Amino acid sequence: MNRHGNWQLTKRCWGALLLCALLPAAQARDWTLRVDGAGPLKVGMRFDTVNKILGEHLERVPAWQRTVPSCFQVTPAEQEGIVLMFVKDVLKRVDVTQPGIESERGIALDDPEGKVGRHYGEAVRTVAHPRRPDGHYLTVRAGEGQYAIRFETEQGRVAAMYAGALAEVLQEDGCR
């Protein structure tokens, strides 16, 4: 092989190494919480489709372990701050349980309640939390009323966020 051939081989090797180094970053997902899902997931997807998209082996919670027979929740291994709620094997709601994930308008856990109002405006409906005297539910309906995003607050700060199908978002305790 001549010098030109060696140079081409070296360039290809470095290119392959660079591609391998960048691949994990390219595969990283944006897990922004939207009214209709989060990251690559959309409310209405079937359980098996979610599994394929995530490239995981999520397992359904056995029916005998469920409080509500048609409902279960799972956490993807690659995204610990997300909990997925399935009703009759269909994705209905996405919960954010850990800091580091924001809503589509930049709200995150521990943000002040007022920030939700500033970012979502008149669409926010606020009601008192039934079990926390210092808490509220700040809910924004979207689409044609079929979706919502809810911010649960405690002591004036966002303590939980969830989004998806309106009926499931309005459930206070997920599948319970």
Side-chain angles (χ1 to χ4, degrees), residues 4-18:
H4 181 70
N6 284 339
W7 172 245
Q8 290 299 330
L9 182 61
T10 302
K11 265 182 27 180
R12 276 186 264 169
C13 288
W14 277 109
L17 284 172
L18 181 62

Side-chain angles (χ1 to χ4, degrees), residues 76-114:
E78 297 298 318
Q79 189 55 53
E80 293 178 8
I82 294 286
V83 176
L84 307 175
M85 177 197 282
F86 291 89
V87 177
K88 296 182 181 173
D89 236 28
V90 175
L91 181 63
K92 292 292 188 171
R93 179 170 129 174
V94 179
D95 294 17
V96 173
T97 61
Q98 295 178 9
I101 298 170
E102 295 183 347
S103 76
E104 58 200 343
R105 296 206 184 166
I107 306 298
L109 297 181
D110 204 39
D111 278 347
E113 215 175 85

Side-chain angles (χ1 to χ4, degrees), residues 114-159:
K115 185 176 178 181
V116 176
R118 287 191 303 277
H119 286 255
Y120 286 89
E122 293 179 12
V124 177
R125 299 292 171 249
T126 304
V127 297
H129 195 291
R131 295 182 310 274
R132 293 188 187 126
D134 62 346
H136 296 100
Y137 286 126
L138 287 69
T139 307
V140 177
R141 292 182 184 203
E144 298 196 7
Q146 76 270 32
Y147 300 116
I149 188 167
R150 180 174 260 190
F151 304 92
E152 191 172 329
T153 67
E154 188 173 352
Q155 297 179 345
R157 305 205 75 79
V158 176

